[in-house]
Amino acid sequence: MKDEKNWLDYKRYQIKIYGIVQGVGFRPFVYNKALKYKVDGWVINEGGAVVIDCSGTKGDIKRFIFDIVKHPPTLAKLEKIICIPINIRFETVEQNTIGFKIKESINIRNKIRFVSPDVATCDKCLADIQQKGSSRYKYPFTNCTECGPRYSIIKDLPYDRPYTTMESFYMCEECKKEYDDPSNRRFHAEPNCCAICGPKLYLIDNKGQEIENIDAIEVTAKLIQDGKIIAIKGIGGFHLVCDARNEDTIQMLRTKKQRKDKPLALMAKNIDIVKEICNITKKEEEILLSNRKPIVILTKKIPSYLPDSIAPGLRKLGLMLPYTPLQHLLFEEKLDLLVVTSGNISGMPIEYKNEDAKKNLSDVADYFLLNDRDIYTPSDDSVVKVINGVELVSRRARGYTPYAVKVQGDQTIIALGAEQKSSICVSKNQYAYVSQYLGDLEDYSCYLNYQKVLNHYVHLFDISAEMVVHDMHPNYISTYFAKSQTATKIAVWHHHAHMVSCMAEHSISDNVIGVIYDGTGLGLDGAVWGGEFLIGNRKNFYRVGHLEYVFIQGGDQAIKEPWRCAASYLNALSYDPVEIIKGVDSEVIKGVNQALNSKINCFLTSSIGRLFDAVAALSGIRNKITYDGQAAIELENVIDLEVKDSYKWNLIERDEQFLIQYQGIIEGVLEDVNNDVKVNIISTKFHNTIIDATCSFVYKIRELKGLNKVVLSGGVFENSYLLTNIYNILKLKNFEVFYNQQIPTNDGGISFGQINIAIAAMENEI
Ligand code: ZN
Ligand code: FE
């Protein structure tokens, strides 16, 4: 009763909380805390923030705020809190603020807006679907304020049901009761639904015929056991699913999906199954079990009883755990390990609409397990690995996007990324939002999806860009797209963007030594760079040295056929490739050699990626690849940790640039190949050589320039052996060493680097 209050001690505050505070049960949480601390007032969603108006005694308010800030709901992420005292007029208190209310949302365009990523099924919902008698027993779309789809179904902010794809489902009386009850864990769970009122599953064959009057999950499980391939609609799009222990089905899937060798991801029933197959660390277990549920790259146990065709020849496997109620329910039907791979044809974006999937996947899938809940924004499963006990994100997607991160400027900017492994990034009011992995823009449907996601971000985060940033490469699709935009444009060098992506992630602004190892990127002199030693900061950089140039013949063909890289290196060193390269038609090699002699269709490059390709081909790993980075991945895969030797390399100075010479490396490999040295030894010696050369180069730069911070970035640093060894050696020499963690080291991180370069560049002008 108000009479019990000491009115002299009565205070009123308006608190505005920014961050991930919508769709995470924040308002009922505040409501319950208000009851606990006898605080009056209200709470409301406003754009991307939560606003609390609270009155009470000074002590109660203090405890109320402290509790909210110190122990927020599991999924919430508080980024910024503004607390303003409000003068109390006694009559206002009496009329309006006795008791605590949850008010309806207002859609005003807030300054800072956040969107929650999709969240894996929580333990309580899991118990609901497993428990006979529960109203959600076996219901595959069960969710609550702590779990369920978010980003994938959100069309606009604030996060309220009418702005999601759940809009078309009307809550039944029971669901509505939960939704309206602040003490219920489904209070304002926007996708709340049940078997009576929510989305429904249905199974069709690949002719479009529905299989009626069945338990769709039970029948799907049986079909999987019978060796069928099923397209299943999930959170971020379709998966193609089959039995991971059935070699024939996996081969069939590979043929139909046109995916010859690229590893397929697995989903295990539980962590015990993962431990049967792979050796896992504590950190890996923690990530597998987290509410993001990414694919984690793990080391396979040897001997392995799984079909080799899951990840041909590789020691690593990508595994994840179930993250939707549907997946959990499938595993209850006598399944324990499934191949769960993106529902697309290789190179194209993931399918996410029922009609498109039926059309495009009917030659791959035998059956389709569909549902009538629309996906608004598709995304693939995220891919991570653990190095030195730290999570490294290789593919940022479902559960990890949108990624909101603080930046050093409040400009409104759009960054368009590169070409392959593309992503976009927008910034506004000191926050950057990085999109999910958007694939290779050369594929037209990927490009269409890229534009769609960009429009969505512009709308969602209310972006009217002062500036558009793109890669310096004139022929990237993203560059053409930039040119069609009216905002001011700024072009950024590819390797500078890699370097700054890592600097910004670690909040570094001063000068660093940047070691940027990747496949392709346009350099200042027009050559294709990729084995670079840079010095610079967020605004500027210059090159101190690189891997010595070589002419590589064949354009894009050279990237798909590593033997062409080998032939190019041999030609440069005056060896005859025809005599050395095995397994390729000698006439074709001769043609390439002649083209090299006359510099026809050749590009000049310092790319370390191409050197890896050349060594992979020379050492007999492979002459042609079927997926991006395959030769380098397979070369790393055969490393023998016992081998400590390396090949000869030289660091020379020419035209004020330091160069790592490759002659000793290539000749060392050739000699070992001639002496029938095992590929494991050749590969390890080669890796050790690059590690030695890199570290020595960095010592030299410190000696000359007095810099002690080193940034390692670029796609080649996906190579764990290379990254960990360079990191460890430099640390031992007292360098401060940084590498990409949450921002991908590959081209997926370019857009984030670009945004930070643009921010720095705009500051320069002021
Ligand atoms: Zn219902
Ligand atoms: Fe790159």
Side-chain angles (χ1 to χ4, degrees):
M1 292 302 289
K2 69 178 188 206
D3 302 344
E4 291 161 15
K5 290 186 170 151
N6 176 4
W7 290 107
L8 287 175
D9 194 28
Y10 210 69
K11 302 277 178 212
R12 182 175 169 196
Y13 288 91
Q14 192 165 84
I15 304 162
K16 210 162 189 175
I17 304 178
Y18 297 94
I20 297 176
V21 287
Q22 294 186 6
V24 292
F26 205 80
R27 287 175 304 164
F29 160 80
V30 170
Y31 173 90
N32 286 311
K33 294 291 174 205
L35 296 190
K36 182 174 172 189
Y37 296 105
K38 299 183 198 68
V39 166
D40 298 325
W42 45 261
V43 58
I44 195 168
N45 274 350
E46 239 184 60
V50 159
V51 178
I52 304 165
D53 187 304
C54 55
S55 334
T57 64
K58 204 174 163 185
D60 284 341
I61 294 236
K62 211 170 140 186
R63 282 186 286 275
F64 168 70
I65 298 174
F66 187 80
D67 203 359
I68 289 173
V69 174
K70 284 287 160 203
H71 312 284
T74 340
L75 299 181
K77 196 176 159 206
L78 313 191
E79 293 278 357
K80 187 168 148 191
I81 297 143
I82 301 170
C83 195
I84 308 162
I86 296 176
N87 280 336
I88 290 195
R89 281 179 302 146
F90 187 71
E91 62 279 14
T92 329
V93 176
E94 266 203 345
Q95 285 164 15
N96 290 333
T97 56
I98 298 299
F100 201 88
K101 285 189 211 71
I102 296 177
K103 286 199 187 177
E104 282 299 305
S105 304
I106 350 172
N107 189 3
I108 59 159
R109 295 260 148 186
N110 243 75
K111 280 188 112 186
I112 303 174
R113 297 159 70 99
F114 290 94
V115 176
S116 166
D118 300 312
V119 186
T121 307
C122 72
D123 291 345
K124 288 175 194 151
C125 282
L126 184 57
D128 281 349
I129 62 169
Q130 288 172 335
Q131 197 153 6
K132 272 192 187 140
S134 139
S135 64
R136 298 296 189 309
Y137 180 56
K138 288 199 171 186
Y139 182 57
F141 302 95
T142 302
N143 64 81
C144 73
T145 43
E146 295 209 350
C147 71
R150 297 287 186 275
Y151 175 60
S152 58
I153 61 165
I154 290 174
K155 298 191 215 173
D156 199 359
L157 291 177
Y159 173 59
D160 274 343
R161 192 159 172 126
Y163 300 117
T164 71
T165 60
M166 284 300 288
E167 177 198 6
S168 54
F169 298 94
Y170 296 97
M171 270 183 263
C172 67
E173 220 172 287
E174 280 306 306
C175 285
K176 185 78 173 102
K177 232 188 256 170
E178 294 173 329
Y179 184 87
D180 288 333
D181 173 7
S183 67
N184 192 292
R185 84 171 203 281
R186 298 202 166 92
F187 176 74
H188 277 260
E190 304 304 337
N192 188 31
C193 57
C194 71
I196 295 164
C197 64
K200 289 183 181 34
L201 278 183
Y202 56 105
L203 184 69
I204 64 167
D205 64 20
N206 57 7
K207 308 275 179 307
Q209 196 63 42
E210 186 171 345
I211 323 291
E212 284 172 292
N213 302 318
I214 49 148
D215 178 330
I217 295 176
E218 203 185 296
V219 173
T220 301
K222 288 219 175 74
L223 289 167
I224 292 172
Q225 284 154 3
D226 288 347
K228 301 285 188 244
I229 299 166
I230 322 286
I232 301 179
K233 189 185 193 178
I235 294 281
F238 277 80
H239 282 129
L240 288 163
V241 179
C242 71
D243 183 358
R245 302 187 194 274
N246 188 330
E247 175 80 55
D248 293 343
T249 309
I250 297 170
Q251 287 297 355
M252 180 81 78
L253 175 65
R254 285 202 174 276
T255 311
K256 289 177 166 178
K257 204 180 174 234
Q258 296 162 36
R259 179 156 159 154
K260 197 161 175 281
D261 307 304
K262 194 175 177 186
L264 297 165
L266 299 177
M267 185 179 278
K269 178 177 177 146
N270 53 41
I271 195 79
D272 296 333
I273 305 287
V274 177
K275 287 178 182 170
E276 278 174 26
I277 306 165
C278 293
N279 296 310
I280 63 171
T281 64
K282 230 177 147 147
K283 183 71 184 174
E284 286 164 342
E285 177 167 352
E286 184 191 312
I287 297 170
L288 281 163
L289 291 166
S290 74
N291 60 23
R292 299 169 182 252
K293 298 280 189 299
I295 296 168
V296 184
I297 307 295
L298 303 169
T299 308
K300 200 155 76 170
K301 267 191 183 163
I302 303 290
S304 167
Y305 302 103
L306 293 173
D308 188 54
S309 53
I310 293 168
L314 298 183
R315 294 172 181 173
K316 303 272 180 184
L317 283 176
L319 268 130
M320 62 183 148
L321 290 175
Y323 56 85
T324 68
L326 172 59
Q327 290 160 354
H328 283 289
L329 291 169
L330 256 184
F331 279 111
E332 303 224 323
E333 304 289 334
K334 296 189 201 107
L335 295 170
D336 70 343
L337 190 65
L338 299 172
V339 166
V340 173
T341 182
S342 303
N344 61 350
I345 301 297
S346 286
M348 287 167 67
I350 189 167
E351 299 291 345
Y352 68 104
K353 289 179 182 164
N354 290 347
E355 289 313 308
D356 291 350
K358 281 195 270 184
K359 201 166 67 199
N360 297 330
L361 298 177
S362 62
D363 290 337
V364 186
D366 300 303
Y367 292 87
F368 291 78
L369 185 57
L370 303 171
N371 68 70
D372 51 355
R373 181 173 70 195
D374 287 340
I375 295 166
Y376 190 75
T377 304
S379 47
D380 296 82
D381 291 312
S382 293
V383 180
V384 312
K385 62 186 166 197
V386 174
I387 285 188
N388 290 339
V390 178
E391 180 188 57
L392 266 62
V393 180
S394 294
R395 183 165 78 189
R396 184 165 268 287
R398 194 238 341 128
Y400 284 73
T401 39
Y403 181 53
V405 56
K406 209 145 174 42
V407 288
Q408 286 179 357
D410 49 16
Q411 299 92 336
T412 308
I413 306 172
I414 295 175
L416 295 169
E419 175 104 330
Q420 297 185 325
K421 299 188 174 69
S422 67
S423 70
I424 56 145
C425 181
V426 298
S427 76
K428 188 182 178 178
N429 293 323
Q430 302 193 346
Y431 276 90
Y433 307 89
V434 188
S435 81
Q436 69 272 33
Y437 160 89
L438 296 169
D440 295 351
L441 298 183
E442 277 173 333
D443 178 88
Y444 186 62
S445 38
C446 282
Y447 177 55
L448 291 180
N449 183 50
Y450 169 91
Q451 285 177 303
K452 184 182 171 246
V453 171
L454 182 60
N455 288 334
H456 186 42
Y457 271 54
V458 164
H459 182 71
L460 209 52
F461 300 110
D462 194 26
I463 303 292
S464 54
E466 300 163 57
M467 184 170 273
V468 169
V469 205
H470 62 91
D471 194 283
M472 197 62 87
H473 201 299
N475 296 326
Y476 278 178
I477 309 276
S478 53
T479 303
Y480 288 117
F481 180 74
K483 289 192 174 141
S484 72
Q485 303 295 300
T486 48
T488 315
K489 283 162 273 283
I490 168 173
V492 163
W493 294 104
H494 187 88
H495 298 92
H496 189 209
H498 272 304
M499 183 170 103
V500 175
S501 77
C502 182
M503 291 177 69
E505 196 183 344
H506 296 284
S507 306
I508 303 168
S509 293
D510 49 342
N511 281 333
V512 298
I513 301 169
V515 181
I516 316 299
Y517 282 172
D518 82 341
T520 315
L522 182 66
L524 268 70
D525 55 0
V528 176
W529 288 15
E532 308 308 312
F533 291 80
L534 311 177
I535 285 181
N537 50 45
R538 298 188 191 199
K539 287 175 190 159
N540 300 306
F541 74 99
Y542 64 94
R543 189 192 208 190
V544 269
H546 56 92
L547 175 67
E548 188 183 14
Y549 278 137
V550 66
F551 275 106
I552 301 252
Q553 202 282 331
D556 283 349
Q557 203 60 26
I559 294 166
K560 294 186 183 117
E561 299 184 3
W563 72 265
R564 289 174 187 264
C565 298
S568 302
Y569 271 100
L570 293 172
N571 177 281
L573 294 169
S574 307
Y575 289 92
D576 183 359
V578 181
E579 283 172 18
I580 295 169
I581 292 171
K582 309 268 179 310
V584 179
D585 184 341
S586 59
E587 287 306 309
V588 181
I589 306 176
K590 221 181 262 173
V592 166
N593 201 34
Q594 277 160 6
L596 280 161
N597 289 335
S598 350
K599 302 284 171 291
I600 295 168
N601 192 20
C602 291
F603 60 91
L604 191 65
T605 188
S606 54
S607 164
I608 202 123
R610 298 293 82 80
L611 180 61
F612 270 79
D613 286 349
V615 171
L618 288 175
S619 59
I621 292 273
R622 64 172 51 247
N623 285 325
K624 293 181 182 174
I625 61 166
T626 68
Y627 66 90
D628 184 43
Q630 185 178 8
I633 289 168
E634 291 177 353
L635 194 64
E636 181 191 359
N637 183 60
V638 297
I639 279 177
D640 178 348
L641 295 174
E642 302 295 311
V643 178
K644 303 294 171 205
D645 295 349
S646 53
Y647 296 114
K648 225 173 75 196
W649 53 273
N650 284 316
L651 189 59
I652 60 154
E653 199 181 348
R654 191 190 294 157
D655 303 331
E656 291 174 30
Q657 288 280 310
F658 287 98
L659 304 176
I660 297 176
Q661 284 190 306
Y662 49 74
Q663 181 165 4
I665 305 174
I666 297 289
E667 287 178 347
V669 172
L670 285 180
E671 196 187 323
D672 277 353
V673 170
N674 282 336
N675 293 333
D676 292 326
V677 173
K678 273 167 60 186
V679 65
N680 311 66
I681 296 172
I682 298 176
S683 165
T684 319
K685 282 171 79 176
F686 169 67
H687 277 84
N688 291 344
T689 312
I690 300 298
I691 292 160
D692 287 354
T694 306
C695 293
S696 303
F697 205 143
V698 172
Y699 305 155
K700 183 115 206 152
I701 300 173
R702 174 162 73 179
E703 211 177 284
L704 293 171
K705 310 283 178 183
L707 293 166
N708 204 48
K709 274 189 188 145
V710 185
V711 159
L712 309 173
S713 190
V716 171
F717 281 111
E718 292 264 15
N719 185 315
S720 304
Y721 184 79
L722 199 68
L723 178 64
T724 42
N725 281 290
I726 292 176
Y727 176 84
N728 291 338
I729 293 170
L730 292 177
K731 284 295 268 188
L732 275 177
K733 297 276 179 178
N734 295 319
F735 283 92
E736 286 179 81
V737 193
F738 303 90
Y739 52 89
N740 291 89
Q741 295 173 4
Q742 288 299 305
I743 298 293
T745 197
N746 57 49
D747 281 6
I750 289 284
S751 63
F752 182 69
Q754 290 172 338
I755 276 269
N756 284 287
I757 293 172
I759 290 170
M762 283 167 94
E763 269 168 10
N764 217 12
E765 281 173 12
I766 296 163

